[in-house]
Amino acid sequence: MDWLHRALQAIGEVLGADRGYIVIFTQDRAEIADVFDWQHTPQPESVMKDITMSSLQGLRWLMRRLEGFENVYVENIVDMPEEAGAEADFFASKSVCSFVAVPMVYGNHLVGFLGFDSVAGQKSWADDVIALVRVGGEIFVNALERARNDRELFKYRSHLEDLVNQRTQALTVANEMLMQEVADRKEAENEAKKAKEVAEEASRTKSVFLTNMTHELRTPLNGVIGITDLMLNTQLANQ
């Protein structure tokens, strides 16, 4: 984020620091989520480059004070207390002479920290200057949390849109299937109606045929019956 780099640079130049960094934890504080850094010159390497949560947990003196929402200012790492031996070794390995670190707190939870250090020589920073660094940390954490919330909201909205699209597609498919079923049923009803009409027409044709045949057969049969009765009831001559 360019604005973070520019902000770190602005504060670092006011402090006369050589390096600045923001370390953000994941919400469960199990991992490092992001590290943003600034350096006055390309060398030396950033203090928090490639830092891991396990490495930070090893800096118990520093983390305990940050977890207590305390500002940590060390004017000369040589003068660090004995219990901060791990921190003294860590910062000495990064060529640090002086450093300040302030907690970044959001919703009464430690979400990370903001730090600046000097490698060119020992630096003395007054309490009011450190208080301004703390204010800068609060501004940073609010902006970063707002950005994170916006990302989460965007992801949630995208998820909802995906669900709506999936449901819409499912309803569209179901509607198309229903329309096809209605069309098929209507077609079947039309076919059944046509079959009924054909059957009724065949039945009428059969009735007409039988009526005609009965009439056609009745006339000659009546003649045959009449002649037969006449022959049975009449005495015929021998000739």
Side-chain angles (χ1 to χ4, degrees):
M1 297 182 182
D2 290 341
W3 69 271
L4 272 177
H5 185 271
R6 291 195 300 270
L8 283 171
Q9 179 179 355
I11 297 174
E13 289 176 349
V14 170
L15 293 174
D18 296 307
R19 298 179 294 204
Y21 43 84
I22 296 174
V23 177
I24 301 296
F25 309 139
T26 56
Q27 290 184 335
D28 58 3
R29 288 183 56 189
E31 301 290 342
I32 301 295
D34 283 303
V35 175
F36 306 95
D37 60 2
W38 161 81
Q39 295 174 209
H40 181 64
T41 57
Q43 296 293 333
E45 184 181 76
S46 171
V47 174
M48 296 299 165
K49 182 177 176 62
D50 301 325
I51 192 72
T52 64
M53 199 66 195
S54 60
S55 298
L56 280 179
Q57 294 297 351
L59 306 178
R60 297 179 181 178
W61 178 82
L62 174 64
M63 290 302 297
R64 187 164 56 248
R65 296 187 65 182
L66 290 174
E67 288 167 352
F69 303 159
E70 299 179 38
N71 298 331
V72 181
Y73 167 48
V74 176
E75 185 173 351
N76 189 338
I77 63 168
V78 176
D79 299 329
M80 294 184 73
E82 182 177 350
E83 61 181 315
E87 286 78 2
D89 292 341
F90 173 80
F91 285 104
S93 69
K94 304 294 184 179
S95 304
V96 174
C97 297
S98 305
F99 77 89
V100 59
V102 299
M104 297 176 67
V105 181
Y106 188 83
N108 205 35
H109 296 286
L110 181 70
V111 298
F113 61 92
L114 166 66
F116 292 91
D117 64 56
S118 171
V119 297
Q122 184 176 323
K123 288 286 183 180
S124 297
W125 291 310
D127 290 343
D128 58 344
V129 173
I130 296 175
L132 289 176
V133 175
R134 179 70 175 260
V135 171
E138 293 174 356
I139 294 172
F140 287 149
V141 73
N142 285 323
L144 289 169
E145 286 299 319
R146 189 180 305 115
R148 177 153 60 183
N149 290 336
D150 288 344
R151 289 195 300 270
E152 291 298 322
L153 181 59
F154 177 78
K155 287 169 61 178
Y156 181 68
R157 285 177 175 172
S158 298
H159 177 63
L160 284 181
E161 288 177 0
D162 289 341
L163 290 178
V164 170
N165 289 335
Q166 291 174 12
R167 183 59 177 164
T168 300
Q169 291 176 359
L171 289 174
T172 300
V173 171
N175 187 55
E176 291 176 350
M177 292 176 64
L178 179 60
M179 292 178 65
Q180 184 62 46
E181 183 179 348
V182 170
D184 292 343
R185 183 173 297 179
K186 187 174 182 180
E187 183 178 356
E189 289 176 353
N190 290 335
E191 292 296 329
K193 184 178 180 181
K194 290 179 181 178
K196 181 182 178 182
E197 291 174 351
V198 170
E200 290 175 347
E201 180 64 25
S203 179
R204 285 194 298 270
T205 302
K206 178 181 178 182
S207 297
V208 171
F209 173 77
L210 291 175
T211 300
N212 292 335
M213 287 298 296
T214 301
H215 176 72
E216 292 295 330
L217 291 173
R218 183 180 297 136
T219 300
L221 283 175
N222 286 338
V224 171
I225 292 171
I227 293 172
T228 302
D229 287 341
L230 180 62
M231 291 177 65
L232 290 173
N233 297 319
T234 302
Q235 291 291 329
L236 297 177
N238 293 327
Q239 292 183 350

